[in-house]
Amino acid sequence: MPPGIFKMINGSKFMHYHTTPPQEHLGGRAHDIPQGNVLGGGTSVNAQVYMRGRPSDYAEWNEILRGNNDGADWSWPAVLHHMRRMEDNNRLFNEFHNVDGPLQVSDPGHIDQMSRWFVQAVQALGEPFNPDFNGSNQRGVGFYQFMNRHGKRSSAAYAFIAPLEKDPRLTLRLESRAERVLIENGRAVGVVWRDKAGQEHQSHAKGEVILTAGALITPKLLMLSGIGPAAHLREHGLDVVADHPGVGQNLVDHPEVPIISTANGKYGYYNQGNGWRMVMNGLQFKAFGTGRILSAGVEAGAFVNPNDPTAEPTIQAFCVPIVYLDRDLLKVMQDTHGMTITTVVVKPRSRGTVTLRSANPADKPVVSPNLLKDPEDMRRMIDGQRFFLRVFDTEPVKSRTREVKFPDPRQIDDESLAAHCRKMVKTNYHPAGTAKMGADGDPMAVLDARMRVRGIEGLRVADMSACPNINAGNTTAPALMLGSRCADFVMGLE
């Protein structure tokens, strides 16, 4: 069900958790990065927000990849074709949206009054109402669309795999771990994997091997297969099949920092997933198909540029009608009725790394994202925090707010807000770029423009690892687009 994300995020068998090394630029803080551990991956555990990014994201990709000899087109029209053909939208049908694809995209099934007050307050600050963040213009405030319908998630598993459940050409191995790619004479010929009983197996490919393990595990698999920075591989006793210095480099993620306030009334979703309230919400959903269970817990958001409203947005915001606390904050603040606005830098400059912890495939990689390490990212985040702090002093939110708890609204100078950001920043769950596509002459480009691993025949990467740069917004839609695009490349349709 859509709001299940808030129960899963703090601990679930459907998640793996990567803990970063201490981040020196954050005062030695370490933070967790969850990853889906279930069929459908991140699409089965995320908040389901449907965002594609903006045309300039893909114009940038196309320019970067123009230095390839194979002529693949990554412009906005080329990627929009794939996004559109997989979409079944419940409201929109136009040049940007479709209605007969397998992926169900819907307006929120339930909108909390706090979300509406947020949208109205941001309009009062001068931002336009945007009815479609995936349309002609990203700027403004409004309500997100989501990958669900009638209280059921439309994950990659439901949308694309379930219809093929009885197809004899498809075999799924659940609770099994891919360990490395088999490479013979410069060609990928299969994979080594281990079942839940610990037994090792090999599966061989007549055609191609395609990695889609995500931006944290795909580079690990490449390195365990001997594809990666030569010195790093030798450090772990691995034979070097292809010296690719870019594998595991260029890790980019959207950093998010919360603004947390308490409310002066019983507004929002506080305690709606506990006790008798949970039972009543469940009964309402079962009996009438309505109510809070139809909400993913976040309904409204905004894209703004605090310094130049006419320029492309630098900040994305999410309005969450709860006091959104992690374990550390629960020690210093009472959970109660309130609102959290998270601000996100949409085009961060900071880059991190994914490296091997050891040559043991069971070990998680070392993930160091370096969120907000680049001074420009911090500058933009401070500007975003300062802009959205104004929401709590603007009607109709102002008269429903008891107190802004974090950051202290009396201390909004750069130094104080920077300290708040260093203390609170975490992943927006969008790691990307760790096996990027690039131009022929780029030594850090792991893939060519058709998603093929350079120097290895029959091996492609079709997940967010492949991105030359991250898109502005949530990353599920681009991830699905990359899978669709890769399929066409393999079939020779593009």
Side-chain angles (χ1 to χ4, degrees):
M1 292 180 177
I5 173 65
F6 289 100
K7 289 188 178 292
M8 287 190 290
I9 202 71
N10 288 322
S12 167
K13 66 181 181 180
F14 302 118
M15 298 270 203
H16 278 313
Y17 296 86
H18 302 266
T19 300
T20 71
Q23 304 285 283
E24 292 185 11
H25 67 290
L26 301 180
R29 271 186 65 218
H31 53 92
D32 291 339
I33 305 174
Q35 182 179 21
N37 179 40
V38 62
L39 188 65
T43 69
S44 293
V45 297
N46 65 4
Q48 304 139 76
V49 177
Y50 184 71
M51 283 295 311
R52 299 166 169 175
R54 56 201 185 203
S56 62
D57 294 332
Y58 303 101
E60 178 191 22
W61 288 21
N62 204 41
E63 186 61 31
I64 291 170
L65 297 171
R66 197 179 298 277
N68 282 270
N69 294 320
D70 55 23
D73 179 9
W74 285 91
S75 66
W76 173 241
V79 301
L80 178 61
H81 163 71
H82 288 268
M83 293 177 178
R84 222 182 147 267
R85 79 178 183 183
M86 69 178 71
E87 182 184 0
D88 175 21
N89 200 295
N90 79 334
R91 172 169 55 94
L92 301 166
F93 184 35
N94 53 35
E95 62 183 301
F96 301 105
H97 298 282
N98 197 20
V99 294
D100 59 2
L103 184 71
Q104 294 182 323
V105 177
S106 308
D107 292 331
H110 175 85
I111 298 177
D112 185 80
Q113 57 188 349
M114 292 191 85
S115 299
R116 298 187 188 278
W117 295 333
F118 166 84
V119 170
Q120 292 166 331
V122 177
Q123 288 180 80
L125 291 174
E127 290 298 316
F129 179 80
N130 190 335
D132 180 14
F133 291 122
N134 293 303
S136 59
N137 184 18
Q138 200 177 53
R139 179 195 170 189
V141 63
F143 301 101
Y144 291 117
Q145 288 201 302
F146 297 83
M147 289 164 284
N148 58 47
R149 184 77 51 84
H150 304 311
K152 182 179 178 180
R153 181 186 290 267
S154 184
S155 65
Y158 285 129
F160 300 102
I161 300 176
L164 301 174
E165 183 178 5
K166 296 181 180 179
D167 193 317
R169 297 170 297 176
L170 175 66
T171 301
L172 288 172
R173 301 292 186 191
L174 301 178
E175 298 185 67
S176 302
R177 182 180 66 237
E179 297 198 332
R180 69 181 188 276
V181 180
L182 290 168
I183 300 172
E184 296 177 1
N185 301 317
R187 181 176 183 84
V189 297
V191 295
V192 177
W193 57 278
R194 195 171 298 274
D195 63 26
K196 63 181 178 180
Q199 184 69 37
E200 183 181 287
H201 303 267
Q202 292 187 5
S203 294
H204 291 83
K206 294 179 180 178
E208 300 189 36
V209 175
I210 302 168
L211 296 182
T212 59
L216 305 182
I217 300 300
T218 284
K220 170 190 163 182
L221 289 174
L222 288 170
M223 288 185 280
L224 290 175
S225 308
I227 303 168
H232 182 58
L233 301 184
R234 294 188 181 110
E235 176 187 343
H236 292 287
L238 294 166
D239 294 333
V240 179
V241 175
D243 181 9
H244 268 306
V247 173
Q249 304 300 300
N250 192 53
L251 172 63
V252 56
D253 194 358
H254 289 133
E256 73 166 47
V257 175
I259 304 171
I260 302 173
S261 77
T262 57
N264 58 18
K266 294 182 179 181
Y267 312 126
Y269 291 130
Y270 172 64
N271 259 349
Q272 291 298 324
N274 299 317
W276 66 267
R277 295 178 182 86
M278 178 179 67
V279 174
M280 294 301 294
N281 287 327
L283 289 174
Q284 180 181 353
F285 172 71
K286 279 293 189 181
F288 305 107
T290 61
R292 296 177 177 89
I293 283 178
L294 297 179
S295 171
V298 53
E299 298 120 12
F303 284 87
V304 304
N305 187 322
N307 296 322
D308 183 358
T310 63
E312 288 198 307
T314 55
I315 296 293
Q316 181 181 10
F318 298 90
C319 172
V320 189
I322 57 171
V323 173
Y324 191 25
L325 301 174
D326 61 19
R327 288 177 294 232
D328 292 334
L329 283 176
L330 281 169
K331 299 174 185 176
V332 297
M333 179 181 172
Q334 178 185 1
D335 192 7
T336 184
H337 299 276
M339 176 193 289
T340 302
I341 299 174
T342 59
T343 60
V344 178
V345 177
V346 295
K347 299 294 283 187
R349 297 185 181 186
S350 301
R351 294 295 185 270
T353 58
V354 175
T355 54
L356 292 175
R357 193 176 302 274
S358 75
N360 183 351
D363 287 344
K364 291 185 176 69
V366 179
V367 181
S368 187
N370 292 328
L371 300 178
L372 296 183
K373 188 171 185 178
D374 189 288
E376 182 60 23
D377 292 350
M378 179 63 83
R379 173 75 265 157
R380 290 178 178 179
M381 185 65 83
I382 289 171
D383 292 342
Q385 287 272 297
R386 196 173 280 133
F387 179 91
F388 282 100
L389 274 167
R390 295 166 58 199
V391 169
F392 296 97
D393 200 34
T394 303
E395 293 293 0
V397 173
K398 180 179 179 179
S399 58
R400 277 88 176 188
T401 299
R402 173 175 291 154
E403 182 183 8
V404 176
K405 303 291 287 189
F406 300 102
D408 188 337
R410 298 163 298 183
Q411 299 179 11
I412 59 171
D413 58 282
D414 285 1
E415 184 176 346
S416 297
L417 286 177
H420 166 70
C421 292
R422 286 191 292 268
K423 181 179 179 181
M424 306 289 274
V425 67
K426 68 177 187 68
T427 176
N428 197 220
Y429 317 113
H430 301 156
T434 49
K436 70 174 185 176
M437 294 184 288
D440 289 342
D442 181 358
M444 300 302 287
V446 180
L447 311 178
D448 67 13
R450 293 183 179 271
M451 309 170 81
R452 297 174 293 206
V453 176
R454 294 178 181 275
I456 303 293
E457 293 184 20
L459 181 61
R460 302 192 202 231
V461 171
D463 59 34
M464 289 299 289
S465 308
C467 300
N469 194 8
I470 200 166
N471 58 289
N474 304 65
T475 53
T476 293
L480 295 175
M481 176 274 294
L482 288 166
S484 177
R485 197 88 202 271
C486 183
D488 276 8
F489 288 149
V490 171
M491 296 296 290
L493 300 177
E494 288 194 48

